[in-house]
Amino acid sequence: MIPVRACYSLMQLTSPEEGLDVLVEHDVDPASGDVTALLEGLQVWAVRELIAQHCPFGLYVAEFATYDADGAQQAFLRELSLIWDGTELLAVHINHGPSPARSLGAVISG
């Protein structure tokens, strides 16, 4: 099935048993910019959301992914593990998806 939307998501790790809670999602338009700008925009968006939502110290995950018409994730393009101290980003780990250009190309042409 061809992906039909691209989305940024911000999640908080509540506990190892409970996993991740989605805090906010934001649809992005792949046709509005190049792949690099969209990938780099994830961290900027995530930090803005952490500030806006007054998030406390913790481990957060920001993800840029594509989804099909049923809402099932098709591919993640970038995932960030963020250590947030309540006011600023202390550390970030970037996990790149397998092929961002191909996955976004399907959204743009779909």
Side-chain angles (χ1 to χ4, degrees), residues 22-107:
V22 176
L23 300 175
V24 64
E25 291 184 328
H26 175 71
D27 287 340
V28 295
D29 180 4
S32 68
D34 64 49
V35 173
T36 302
L38 290 168
L39 292 170
E40 291 174 358
L42 176 62
Q43 184 170 329
V44 173
W45 173 82
V47 169
R48 273 197 322 250
E49 288 297 330
L50 288 165
I51 293 168
Q53 298 205 22
H54 306 286
C55 292
F57 176 84
L59 177 61
Y60 297 85
V61 174
E63 187 174 75
F64 180 23
T66 58
Y67 297 85
D68 68 18
D70 297 324
Q73 188 181 82
Q74 295 298 295
F76 85 91
L77 308 171
R78 178 169 282 182
E79 180 182 78
L80 306 175
S81 297
L82 309 163
I83 299 176
W84 180 251
D85 79 351
T87 58
E88 65 183 1
L89 191 58
L90 297 177
V92 61
H93 172 77
I94 300 172
N95 185 11
H96 299 283
S99 58
R102 187 181 67 205
S103 297
L104 281 176
V107 173

